[in-house]
Amino acid sequence: QPIIEQDKQLEKLLKTKEKLERDNDLFSGYTVQIHNGSLEDAREKRKDYTKLKKDWPSSIHYETPNYKLWVGNFDSRLEADKALLSLKDDFPSAFVLKPDKK
C-alpha cells in the first residue's frame, strides 16, 4: 500500500481558492448586476437576494462612485440570461454584463 504525503500548503491553497470563488474573483465569464448605488443599499439588496435562496454567489464591487452587486459567475451568455429572467421580478433594473478582468 503506497503512502501519500500531502503538502501542508495544499489545504491552505484550497481554502484560498474556495474564498476567491465565493467572492467571484476567479471567473472571466458573465454576471448579473442587480444593484448600482450606495454601499448601504448594496448590502440591503444582497440581503434581499439571499432571501431568494438562489445558488449563485453574490459579491459587492466598488467602481467609483458606486457599489455594484453582482450575482453569479456564468460561463456563457445564455446561462446568464436564464439567471436574469429568474431575477427580473425581484430586481427590475438587473442586467447581464461581462466584467473586465483586473
Side-chain angles (χ1 to χ4, degrees), residues 3-68:
I3 297 174
I4 299 173
E5 291 188 30
Q6 180 175 304
D7 189 319
K8 291 177 173 57
Q9 293 287 54
L10 184 59
E11 189 168 329
K12 183 178 178 184
L13 181 63
L14 289 172
K15 285 184 181 179
T16 300
K17 180 180 181 284
E18 183 180 294
K19 182 189 182 316
L20 289 170
E21 286 173 343
R22 187 174 53 248
D23 294 343
N24 271 0
D25 290 335
L26 283 185
F27 80 102
S28 59
Y30 296 86
T31 191
V32 177
Q33 180 170 308
I34 61 175
H35 174 74
N36 178 39
S38 72
L39 178 58
E40 184 178 312
D41 289 345
R43 288 178 174 154
E44 283 302 313
K45 292 289 183 187
R46 193 175 197 182
K47 286 179 188 174
D48 294 343
Y49 169 74
T50 302
K51 290 175 189 172
L52 296 177
K53 299 198 184 304
K54 302 283 186 185
D55 290 332
W56 308 301
S58 65
S59 55
I60 296 174
H61 298 267
Y62 180 70
E63 289 181 13
T64 307
N66 294 312
Y67 290 86
K68 292 142 185 336

Side-chain angles (χ1 to χ4, degrees), residues 72-90:
N73 49 3
F74 306 101
D75 292 329
S76 72
R77 176 67 192 234
L78 181 60
E79 290 176 290
D81 285 339
K82 286 179 183 177
L84 177 62
L85 287 174
S86 77
L87 293 166
K88 267 297 202 185
D89 286 343
D90 295 290

